[in-house]
Amino acid sequence: MSNNPYDTHSGHRRLDGLISWHADWTGLRVAVLGLGVTGFAAADTLAELGADVLVVAGNAPDDRARLLGVIGAGLVQADLSEVPAELAAHRPELLVVSPGFHPDHPLLLWAAAAGIPVWGDIELAWRLRDKVGAPAEWILVTGTNGKTTTVQLTATILAAAGHRVAPCGNIGVPVLDAVRDPLGWDVLVVELSSYQLHHLPRTGPGALVPWASVCLNIADDHLDWHGSGAAYREAKATVYANTKIACVYNKDDEATRTMVEDAEVREGARAIGFGLGVPGPSDLGVVDGILCDRAFLEERFDTAIELTTVPELRARGLGAAHLVADILAASALARSFDVDAPIIHDVLETFQLDEHRIEIVADAAGIRWVDDSKATNPHAADASLAAFDSVVWLVGGLLKGVDIDHLVSTHVPRLRGAVIIGVDRDALRAAFLRHAPGLPVFEIDAADTGQVMPNAVAAAAGIAESGDVVLLAPAAASMDQFSDYAARGRLFAEAVHDYLGGEADGETAPGSNA
């Protein structure tokens, strides 16, 4: 007998019919690649459905590995540079892949050669969305930056309007956990990374049909994963496929408009623009400091609905330009779900950003210390730098194959100095020498991760003057020296407070007053 389960099309036909929790998944041989949060959620779900599940992982946290035995799933922990014998012997009819696996990973190449379909966790969740009755509507959010803020704000607005809503996906809560909630939801607001979108089909039984969708912005990122900027943008564009009600796009980012124009959507879906300028009759925008909706009202050709004002947002630490854009996008998604404008206004009076997103950690001697460790790529750092007039910039980490030169050249006029951290320092050093040879630039070459931030803070303090902002906006990933961007931000804040001692005013507020 052949080892290829797809000598006939019977395996594919079975998968085509698996579009409900209540379909027969019993005995389906599935390999789940990875045992992170996403991989465990997939294994747990499939085991509950009665599938024959084998998890294959390079690293398996002890707690999750133990739980696999409890739920009845197998585990192979091995070097994944080649196909483990146990995986081949399992003869999987389906692979469910975690987002961290590159498209050219040896196991995915093996699956393609063997004709084994590959799903991501999002497709699996979509097929299972009817577990507890009428499926929730899905609102999809992607973009290079601003995804989490937009998801959280959209969900908060929808909840304030009385809807049962779950923010989930790349935000940290697996969608598979959300669709299995025993009480069910009215709507899921799903943050999607380019990795997750890469594995989503645009047609066929596994294709999503979202209520509304948005790509907030697009700039080259994760090129080491996707292989090219074009492939990255193509993955992001999948967010708009089959949208039913509203395709929300950024008027100030032509690529997102093109995505909407090229998207195959459901009849009746509208293109809704958002931007910082005056809105057209199907847009949300800003007029004389007032955030306005001219999209979701009958008289949109003649009037607009006020949502809030820039001064009100600035008082809440939400006045930076990129945050205003995120707020407009979230408002558009909520308005597409018939939420009244006063509810949006009320939510914005209390909404707070997550930690490590333009968070003021100290203010002493006229110098503000700001943690934007979440700025893990040049596009995010660009928005962060633009929010301030005079900056000592803490920058560096893993650049992920992106070009840093343009970011440096753009912001040289606002820089008092720079402190370079991380392993990818060569490109940054060269960019500063090329565009600002007289700028004070310090490099932190600390082998001990615990000394990186204390040394960086001390160097920044030696440059900063009253009126400056010392800004951690690394434009790079954190995993070279830190466990994640949150740890990087935490250590920065600790180093700042240790350095300042009793000099800081002690007030920590989210957001920027710029």
Side-chain angles (χ1 to χ4, degrees), residues 374-460:
K374 186 62 171 65
T376 57
N377 55 59
H379 189 268
D382 176 69
S384 188
L385 286 161
F388 305 103
D389 294 327
S390 184
V391 175
V392 176
W393 183 20
L394 273 63
V395 57
L398 287 174
L399 292 174
K400 300 178 291 184
V402 301
D403 182 12
I404 201 74
D405 191 80
H406 179 70
L407 178 67
V408 172
S409 66
T410 298
H411 291 287
V412 161
R414 74 177 73 250
L415 296 182
R416 175 82 64 189
V419 179
I420 304 175
I421 63 173
V423 298
D424 289 345
R425 298 198 301 274
D426 291 349
L428 281 161
R429 184 190 311 116
F432 283 118
L433 284 173
R434 185 160 44 251
H435 300 293
L439 187 75
V441 176
F442 292 87
E443 291 189 47
I444 306 303
D445 187 17
D448 179 1
T449 294
Q451 289 303 307
V452 171
M453 283 305 174
N455 292 351
V457 165

Side-chain angles (χ1 to χ4, degrees), residues 437-509:
L439 187 75
V441 176
F442 292 87
E443 291 189 47
I444 306 303
D445 187 17
D448 179 1
T449 294
Q451 289 303 307
V452 171
M453 283 305 174
N455 292 351
V457 165
I463 305 171
E465 301 178 8
S466 179
D468 288 346
V469 169
V470 178
L471 175 65
L472 174 65
S478 58
M479 288 78 74
D480 56 336
Q481 295 179 315
F482 308 96
S483 58
D484 52 31
Y485 76 83
R488 180 170 61 188
R490 257 192 327 271
L491 289 170
F492 169 72
E494 290 173 6
V496 169
H497 288 297
D498 287 347
Y499 182 86
L500 294 176
E503 296 179 41
D505 63 11
E507 181 177 351
T508 300

